[in-house]
Amino acid sequence: MIAETVCSAASAAGLGIAVVTAYRRRFLAAARIAAYSLVPIGLVMTGVVGWLGDTAFSPTAWAGFGVLGAAWLLFAGTRAVERRRGGTRAERKAARGGRTGAVAPGASAPSLGSGTAARPAAPRATSAADDFSDIEDILKKHGI
């Protein structure tokens, strides 16, 4: 009963402010204020305010909100773990499995490696001729 009275008073005050705003020739703002001020009385007339009042004092409703909160926490937690692991289960399975997408079209081996650590190359003695040999090897590899 009190909620309906408060909503009615808020709507009446909002409509009064809309009239004053329209008197100042700000019709667009007045129409917007009138629209906002009609929302509380519309909620009262549709019964939403009564439903909210009944829900606010119902232990069953609060238990339901608790269950919804727990479900949201579980969902958010699983999403966070999924992001840290690097994708969905199907993506991880595909990465472990065939690795068909990891091979470049003209490559002879997968670009991600075979899962074992590559051994570092032995250091070579550098000379003036070897300075550009690495660059030449790279260019030949790419067909340039």
Side-chain angles (χ1 to χ4, degrees):
M1 180 84 168
I2 292 174
E4 289 86 358
T5 305
V6 169
C7 287
S8 299
S11 289
L15 289 174
I17 293 170
V19 168
V20 171
T21 305
Y23 180 76
R24 293 180 181 171
R25 304 234 183 245
R26 296 181 59 203
F27 298 110
L28 186 61
R32 191 174 297 125
I33 292 170
Y36 281 123
S37 66
L38 290 174
V39 170
I41 197 71
L43 292 175
V44 167
M45 294 173 79
T46 58
V48 172
V49 173
W51 176 79
L52 285 174
D54 293 340
T55 303
F57 298 111
S58 170
T60 305
W62 284 106
F65 285 126
V67 169
L68 288 174
W72 182 83
L73 285 173
L74 284 171
F75 179 72
T78 56
R79 292 289 296 178
V81 169
E82 186 176 80
R83 275 192 230 120
R84 291 189 90 182
R85 284 189 178 172
T88 63
R89 182 177 182 186
E91 291 170 350
R92 288 191 309 274
K93 188 175 180 181
R96 279 192 311 250
R99 295 187 188 262
T100 57
V103 178
S108 60
S111 58
L112 295 177
S114 61
T116 59
R119 287 183 242 153
R124 288 190 269 166
T126 59
S127 66
D130 280 344
D131 289 342
F132 293 107
S133 65
D134 293 337
I135 296 172
E136 289 176 3
D137 291 339
I138 292 171
L139 292 174
K140 286 179 185 176
K141 179 180 170 185
H142 291 290
I144 300 175

